[in-house]
Amino acid sequence: MAELEERVKKLSLRSTTAKMNLHDLAEELPTDWQKIPEVAAATFQVFADLDAARKELKRAKQAAE
């Protein structure tokens, strides 16, 4: 369970970074508009990974009860 909690923590930090990268790109538009698909895909993936890890952690905690 500690490994799952650590994974969620790391993914949470990565998601914050990805969110800020997407935000920064949006604020700089129309400059670097070509990077939208790349940055959006990376942001989407890290949030999908975080969601999956949180669900896995929740299931593990419920199983431990």
Side-chain angles (χ1 to χ4, degrees):
M1 183 133 16
E3 284 182 25
L4 284 173
E5 289 174 344
E6 184 64 26
R7 182 169 183 235
V8 167
K9 183 178 175 181
K10 286 180 181 180
L11 285 168
S12 183
L13 291 172
R14 285 182 51 207
S15 71
T16 299
T17 300
K19 178 175 66 171
M20 292 307 299
N21 289 343
L22 189 59
H23 177 267
D24 291 347
L25 179 62
E27 282 195 343
E28 295 170 6
L29 288 173
T31 303
D32 291 335
W33 65 268
Q34 302 91 338
K35 293 181 181 179
I36 292 172
E38 176 187 336
V39 175
T43 304
F44 179 89
Q45 188 60 57
V46 74
F47 274 93
D49 293 347
L50 177 59
D51 184 57
R54 283 180 174 163
K55 287 177 181 174
E56 187 177 352
L57 178 59
K58 183 178 180 180
R59 285 191 301 269
K61 285 182 177 181
Q62 289 173 342
E65 291 178 348

